[in-house]
Amino acid sequence: MTPAKAQVAVSVNLNIQPDWGPSGYDYVEYYYLPEIDVYFDVVNKRYVYWENNAWVHKSKLPSRYANVDMNKTYKVVMNNKNPWNSHASDKAKYSKYAKDRSQVSIKDKKKNTKKSKKK
C-alpha cells in the first residue's frame, strides 16, 4: 500500500485588491456590484459593464456612476472567468443587495484594526 499524496495549491492576491473591496477574502478575481450592475476585474483593475450592446472593459467608470461610494456599495466576490456570461443570473440573484451597506471594506477593516491596537 502506498501512502496517499495530497497537493494543495493556495492562491492569495490580497495585496492587489482595492481598499474599497470587501474584507475577509484572500483571493478574488472579480467583484459584482449589484447597485450599479457592474463587474470589477481585480487582477487587471478594470470595470466591466454593458454599453452599446457589448461588455466593455474600462479602467474608469462612466460619469453616471460618479455618486457611488465604492467603500459602501455591496460587492459580491466571483472567482470564475468572465462572470458577465452569467449576468442575468447574477442580477436576479444579487439585486437584493443593491442598497445593502453592511459590508466592511478592506479600508474600514484596516482602520478598525489600527484603532483596536492603540487601546
Side-chain angles (χ1 to χ4, degrees):
M1 186 179 223
T2 59
K5 292 182 182 179
Q7 290 183 342
V8 177
V10 177
S11 294
V12 176
N13 71 352
L14 184 58
N15 61 330
I16 66 167
Q17 294 175 42
D19 276 348
W20 51 259
S23 68
Y25 296 92
D26 291 337
Y27 180 79
V28 177
E29 289 185 36
Y30 296 93
Y31 301 129
Y32 174 62
L33 293 78
E35 180 179 352
I36 57 175
D37 198 25
V38 167
Y39 295 89
F40 180 74
D41 179 342
V42 172
V43 175
N44 296 303
K45 296 178 174 34
R46 299 182 81 90
Y47 297 91
V48 183
Y49 53 91
W50 189 253
E51 186 173 80
N52 297 324
N53 295 316
W55 289 103
V56 296
H57 303 248
K58 304 281 184 173
S59 59
K60 294 186 179 188
L61 284 170
S63 60
R64 67 181 179 262
Y65 301 122
N67 293 329
V68 175
D69 183 345
M70 296 304 276
N71 289 300
K72 301 294 182 199
T73 192
Y74 197 88
K75 280 77 64 179
V76 179
V77 171
M78 306 199 133
N79 289 329
N80 52 313
K81 296 291 179 200
N82 305 326
W84 47 90
N85 288 338
S86 61
H87 175 253
S89 172
D90 294 340
K91 188 172 182 174
K93 188 173 183 179
Y94 301 114
S95 63
K96 64 186 173 190
Y97 296 101
K99 299 297 178 194
D100 187 322
R101 301 292 185 260
S102 65
Q103 198 173 50
V104 177
S105 70
I106 294 169
K107 177 180 165 182
D108 291 340
K109 181 77 170 181
K110 286 178 184 176
K111 274 191 220 173
N112 291 338
T113 302
K114 286 179 184 177
K115 284 180 185 176
S116 64
K117 285 183 180 179
K118 288 181 181 180
K119 290 182 180 180

